[in-house]
Amino acid sequence: GAGLNCLLIYLVLRFSRKSLGSYKQLLAIFAAYDVYLCVLHAVVKPKVLIVGTTFGVVGTHDSKVSISIFSASFTVPFTLMIIDFLYR
């Protein structure tokens, strides 16, 4: 995942046309943030727990802070998309 996103960043920054405008930067931002999420996933190593109707995520480090950061990090791409749609 992270390697392909690094390749995407390189291709977008090196070979994309100027006519893409801000979409070029948006692609690069999404790819860079996905690299961050891949690294974060490798560090936290989350495990999903489902008990009845309750859903939870635990990490291997038993740190509430690392799980909180991991869970909150997945909201950023949605925020970026909302900002992009509102901007247009």
Side-chain angles (χ1 to χ4, degrees):
L4 289 175
N5 278 301
C6 288
L7 177 63
L8 177 62
I9 293 170
Y10 171 74
L11 293 174
V12 165
L13 296 178
R14 177 85 169 117
F15 297 108
S16 61
R17 291 183 239 130
K18 291 197 183 266
S19 62
L20 286 175
S22 63
Y23 185 68
K24 172 178 159 177
Q25 290 145 353
L26 188 65
L27 277 173
I29 290 170
F30 271 105
Y33 198 77
D34 199 33
V35 169
Y36 165 74
L37 288 176
C38 289
V39 170
L40 188 62
H41 191 274
V43 169
V44 175
K45 296 179 184 159
K47 302 291 182 202
V48 176
L49 297 175
I50 301 173
V51 179
T53 59
T54 306
F55 173 83
V57 179
V58 295
T60 56
H61 297 294
D62 293 332
S63 171
K64 292 178 184 175
V65 174
S66 65
I67 290 298
S68 298
I69 291 171
F70 178 78
S71 299
S73 294
F74 283 94
T75 63
V76 172
F78 297 117
T79 305
L80 289 173
M81 283 192 320
I82 290 168
I83 291 171
D84 180 55
F85 287 129
L86 289 176
Y87 177 71
R88 292 176 185 242

